Amino acid sequence: QTEDAINDAKRAIRIDSTNAAFYLTEADIFFAANETRNAKDVLEKVVKQFPENTDGLLKLGELYFFVKQYENAFAKINQALKVNENLAKGYYLKGNIYKEIGDTAKAISSLETAIEQDNKNYGAFLDLGLIYGAKKNPLAFEYYNNAISLKPTNSEALYAKAKLFQDMGQLKEAVAGYNQILKTNPKHVFSMYNLGAIEFGINKNPQKALEYFTNAINAEPKYAEAYFARGACYQEMKDNANASADYNMCLQLKPNYEPAVEGLNSLGK
């Protein structure tokens, strides 16, 4: 299928080699197929032949970001912003690069500018929420709410918001958030796991917690931490045989996982 799509794009370029959109389509196909070298070759042709084509410049900048060539990424993005200083995607990409290299202040500034240019930029709202959420700054909730208003059923922002409630000790709100996710995404394993963690660690209800961890395992049979957590529930309920089985399963999936090693050792006492 990829080969057919590439051939179609090449045919279009042969018919009209002055249309930058045909080259960009070809680059997108290569990128989607994870053929980054071919995508880069096509995009470099685009920016050479059409030096003011901001789509080509931004896509090349994004590709450099993808392969962690940050200086090259900044160069192409800034080149695009010189052509048009109102490109939300340019600021969004810069924000992502700054976030990845650990320059939080510049990441916030760039992402804020992306939102100024496009107040429906879901990714920028989410990223700002994650940056502030990592500092447990309540300002994160405002950004998460904006992201959720743009994509009400997208689990990513809903989960980040619920997890921040949990991290800040607002457990009622966290539980409501996780349950909201499970209504539209019933196999969201991290919501199940965290509900189990709240039941086990806070509400001291290993039986209820065990149900959540089992649901998480059923949805994702290789979820090592869920086996450990369920093992801890079994151990709390004095069911050492099942506890041992789950700790061992955890260690099969994640060798040397220290809590499971400790759990097994404690069963032997």
Side-chain angles (χ1 to χ4, degrees), residues 10 12 26 49 55 58 63 102 119 143 153 184 189 215-216 224 231 259:
K10 286 187 184 302
E26 184 185 18
Q49 193 170 336
D55 282 346
L58 289 179
L63 191 144
N119 65 4
Y143 290 110
T153 59
T184 54
V189 292
N215 289 342

Side-chain angles (χ1 to χ4, degrees), residues 171-183:
L171 298 180
K172 188 179 167 190
E173 292 85 350
V175 168
Y178 293 135
N179 282 319
Q180 185 184 349
I181 293 166
L182 291 170
K183 276 181 192 166

Side-chain angles (χ1 to χ4, degrees), residues 182-228:
L182 291 170
K183 276 181 192 166
T184 54
N185 186 355
K187 291 194 170 181
H188 194 269
V189 292
F190 300 124
S191 291
M192 296 176 203
Y193 181 91
N194 288 347
L195 285 166
I198 290 168
E199 286 297 342
F200 184 70
I202 309 295
N203 296 342
K204 308 299 181 193
N205 187 344
Q207 184 71 55
K208 183 68 178 164
L210 190 141
E211 288 175 33
Y212 283 121
F213 294 134
T214 299
N215 289 342
I217 289 163
N218 289 340
E220 175 44 73
K222 293 186 176 177
Y223 194 171
E225 290 83 355
Y227 282 104
F228 163 73

Side-chain angles (χ1 to χ4, degrees), residues 8 32 40 42 52 64 72 83 120 127 130 144 162 166 168 173 180-181 210 220 223 257 261:
D8 288 345
K40 177 173 161 287
V42 174
E52 301 225 328
Y64 278 128
N72 287 334
V83 177
K120 290 185 167 53
D127 283 341
L130 291 169
Y144 289 147
Q166 184 179 351
M168 294 177 77
E173 292 85 350
Q180 185 184 349
I181 293 166
L210 190 141
E220 175 44 73
Y223 194 171
Y257 185 62
V261 173

Side-chain angles (χ1 to χ4, degrees), residues 86-103:
N86 302 316
L87 296 169
K89 186 180 177 183
Y91 298 107
Y92 175 60
L93 284 171
K94 285 178 76 166
N96 272 270
I97 299 169
Y98 283 128
K99 186 173 160 220
E100 195 159 297
I101 63 179
D103 192 333

Side-chain angles (χ1 to χ4, degrees), residues 144-180:
Y144 289 147
N145 288 338
N146 280 314
I148 291 162
S149 72
L150 292 169
K151 294 188 179 183
T153 59
N154 189 300
S155 299
E156 206 174 1
L158 288 166
Y159 176 76
K161 182 182 173 185
K163 182 67 168 68
L164 183 57
F165 276 131
Q166 184 179 351
D167 291 344
M168 294 177 77
Q170 294 173 249
L171 298 180
K172 188 179 167 190
E173 292 85 350
V175 168
Y178 293 135
N179 282 319
Q180 185 184 349

